[in-house]
Amino acid sequence: MRNLQFLRSAEFIDSDADNIREFARAAVGATQTQTEQAVSLYYGVRDGIRYTPYLDFGDPEMYRASSVLRKGYGFCISKASLLAACGRALGILSRIGFADVTNHLNTPRLRAINGGDLMRWHAFTEFYLQGAWVKSTPAFNLELCTRFRVKPLDFNGREDSIFHAFDADERKHMEYVHERGFFADDR
């Protein structure tokens, strides 16, 4: 079966790590269906792991799911790796998707680090649920969204959950400009 690569533990999506399996089981509790489990995992990662873009991107541990979970923080790729690892730990086909987005609400510090408003290789997680791949973006935790008046992303397991085009004050927020595809691991 071609999709087995989306169930296997990998270098960065290390779904066989003990802390990943424990976190995934705790996050889903008694939920029964894979869709319910994916939704529970999404909120567990979205709000349980703090978002920060101010990291050492040369450190491979910033991309490894088990390390992100131990640290309790990460950026979009970190959190997407963690969510995919949790899905795989529960037997849900999971992969990483990438896109380039323009962040119209970029901070001056982040703009300087990134060299502008275009965020290349923004990551999200895709789950295979009810016969279709569904996108989920666990990047911005609820606390961060509230602080910056960004609409938090919800996920129901049936529809794609990608960044909102506008924030809570109707200012332009995120604009998807290029999809780069999906991968079994985030290398």
Side-chain angles (χ1 to χ4, degrees):
M1 181 174 163
R2 203 175 71 167
N3 284 331
L4 285 180
Q5 65 183 329
F6 302 122
L7 284 175
R8 284 190 205 109
S9 187
E11 181 177 356
F12 295 105
I13 303 173
D14 56 340
S15 56
D16 61 353
D18 289 339
N19 67 335
I20 296 293
R21 289 193 308 261
E22 290 168 15
F23 178 85
R25 283 192 299 266
V28 301
T31 56
Q32 297 297 311
T33 70
Q34 285 192 334
T35 299
E36 291 170 328
Q37 291 175 342
V39 169
S40 294
L41 291 174
Y42 170 80
Y43 286 105
V45 171
R46 185 194 80 175
D47 296 330
I49 305 298
R50 186 174 48 86
Y51 175 83
T52 180
Y54 306 114
L55 302 167
D56 176 3
F57 297 111
D59 179 2
E61 295 306 304
M62 284 291 91
Y63 303 88
R64 193 173 328 283
S66 59
S67 179
V68 173
L69 182 57
R70 256 190 311 281
K71 291 174 191 260
Y73 60 85
F75 69 119
C76 65
I77 297 174
S78 308
K79 293 181 75 169
S81 292
L82 175 56
L83 185 55
C86 289
R88 290 180 188 185
L90 296 178
I92 302 170
L93 292 167
S94 306
R95 64 189 186 188
I96 301 293
F98 290 96
D100 296 341
V101 296
T102 300
N103 182 349
H104 295 284
L105 298 178
N106 225 344
T107 65
R109 179 180 174 199
L110 189 54
R111 190 175 293 115
I113 290 169
N114 191 54
D117 291 336
L118 183 64
M119 313 302 268
R120 291 173 184 85
W121 294 94
H122 157 67
F124 49 87
T125 304
E126 290 185 327
F127 293 116
Y128 192 76
L129 302 168
Q130 299 175 34
W133 287 101
V134 184
K135 295 176 182 160
S136 61
T137 306
F140 297 160
N141 51 295
L142 185 57
E143 179 185 347
L144 179 84
C145 291
T146 301
R147 190 168 87 207
F148 286 100
R149 298 199 41 77
V150 171
K151 296 175 189 174
L153 292 175
D154 291 317
F155 180 61
N156 63 17
R158 295 179 308 280
E159 302 163 312
D160 288 343
S161 174
I162 59 173
F163 283 133
H164 296 294
F166 296 92
D167 73 353
D169 298 318
E170 295 305 315
R171 296 174 297 176
K172 279 184 100 174
H173 181 214
M174 291 290 190
E175 179 181 354
Y176 286 78
V177 295
H178 177 67
E179 285 224 19
R180 291 187 176 266
F182 59 86
F183 301 87
D185 198 7
D186 54 354
R187 289 178 270 172

